Amino acid sequence: MTPVVAAKKLRKFDPKTFLSTINGGRKIEDFSKKQTVFAQGDSSDAVFYIREGKVKLTVVSKAGKEATIGILNKGDFFGEGCLTGQPRRLCSATAMIDCSVMKIDKKYMVQVLHEEHTFSDMFVAYLLTRNIRYEEDLVDQLFNSSEKRLARILLLLAHFGKEGKPEILIPKMSQETLAEMIGTTRSRVSFFMNRFRKLGFIDYQAGDELQVHSSLLNIVLHD
């Protein structure tokens, strides 16, 4: 075995380094608040990874009605539908705040998934975790009240229940967006948000941020 081949064999692949450096089929792009990362119907040719910021996924029906289907945070992937042969984007991705995003070309992403087991294990684990989240969302939608659904969404946006320190401050979203996400009306969201504020569960900060307190868990856990 030549020294070059041996060095390649001994090289340890680091997913964090891979997702933070520019090389070949990947590049880092910055998006300002409300800027479109990709639009519904665009060519699906890359996977994205959020290095900093938050991204909103929305879909528009043939009748022109828009719905929010997900809010993604730092460390999340999106646009992976291209890996299954999806030719066009089925939704739009928009920066909720200033974002730094890694764009990985489809061909390069497939190559890394095949060659680097450390990365493929991490990526599969991420997809499985997100699939569980979707199942929990469905159960939440079927069995919980709109008040509990709203409390759960706010806690998820604030990263409660995840490893590490929770992100107490989150970008303030419109009540229409929150209503779309939990399947209720804007007026109901307004009523519950005012109630949460009066009970000390949330606070409105100066600017565009909302402060979520751990006491909001009382709404989710209360039968």
Side-chain angles (χ1 to χ4, degrees):
M1 183 178 293
T2 66
V4 174
V5 174
K8 288 184 177 180
K9 291 291 185 180
L10 294 173
R11 176 181 61 86
K12 185 176 181 180
F13 182 83
D14 183 4
K16 290 184 178 180
T17 300
F18 174 78
L19 293 170
S20 62
T21 56
I22 301 171
N23 183 20
R26 61 189 192 278
K27 61 181 179 179
I28 295 174
E29 298 182 349
D30 295 324
F31 296 90
S32 57
K33 182 180 178 180
K34 295 185 178 181
Q35 186 176 355
T36 299
V37 180
F38 59 72
Q40 185 174 334
D42 284 354
S43 177
S44 183
D45 56 4
V47 177
F48 295 84
Y49 173 79
I50 303 175
R51 301 175 68 248
E52 295 289 343
K54 291 180 182 288
V55 172
K56 177 173 67 173
L57 301 180
T58 57
V59 62
V60 178
S61 69
K62 291 182 179 180
K65 184 176 180 180
E66 182 178 285
T68 300
I69 59 174
I71 303 293
L72 305 178
N73 301 284
K74 177 181 177 179
D76 286 342
F77 291 91
F78 63 101
E80 70 282 352
C82 67
L83 301 177
T84 63
Q86 183 186 95
R88 300 286 174 181
R89 300 294 185 189
L90 299 182
C91 64
S92 297
T94 307
M96 295 184 66
I97 57 177
D98 291 348
C99 293
S100 175
V101 176
M102 170 72 74
K103 181 179 180 181
I104 310 169
D105 291 344
K106 173 185 174 180
K107 182 178 179 180
Y108 192 62
M109 184 71 171
V110 171
Q111 177 184 338
V112 174
L113 287 172
H114 284 158
E115 295 179 355
E116 303 294 348
H117 292 169
T118 302
F119 182 75
S120 60
D121 288 347
M122 182 202 73
F123 187 67
V124 169
Y126 168 78
L127 294 179
L128 290 174
T129 300
R130 196 175 66 182
N131 187 62
I132 291 171
R133 162 72 189 282
Y134 287 158
E135 291 178 353
E136 291 174 345
D137 288 346
L138 179 59
V139 172
D140 189 44
Q141 190 76 22
L142 292 172
F143 298 110
N144 287 332
S145 67
S146 53
E147 182 181 32
K148 280 190 176 183
R149 296 200 301 272
L150 177 59
R152 178 174 176 269
I153 284 294
L154 293 175
L155 289 167
L156 287 171
L157 290 173
H159 285 195
F160 280 102
K162 291 190 175 182
E163 294 181 3
K165 185 178 179 180
E167 184 179 316
I168 304 299
L169 293 176
I170 61 176
K172 190 161 57 179
M173 291 186 291
S174 69
Q175 293 180 349
E176 288 82 359
T177 296
L178 289 171
E180 291 169 0
M181 294 179 71
I182 66 173
T184 189
T185 63
R186 190 204 63 79
S187 60
R188 291 294 285 169
V189 168
S190 177
F191 173 80
F192 293 134
M193 292 292 280
N194 286 330
R195 181 169 182 265
F196 293 166
R197 180 179 56 82
K198 291 177 181 177
L199 291 171
F201 297 155
I202 63 172
D203 286 310
Y204 292 103
Q205 302 292 310
D208 295 327
E209 292 182 323
L210 178 69
Q211 187 173 21
V212 178
H213 301 294
S214 60
S215 54
L216 186 59
L217 281 167
N218 294 329
I219 295 294
V220 177
L221 299 177
H222 179 69
D223 290 329

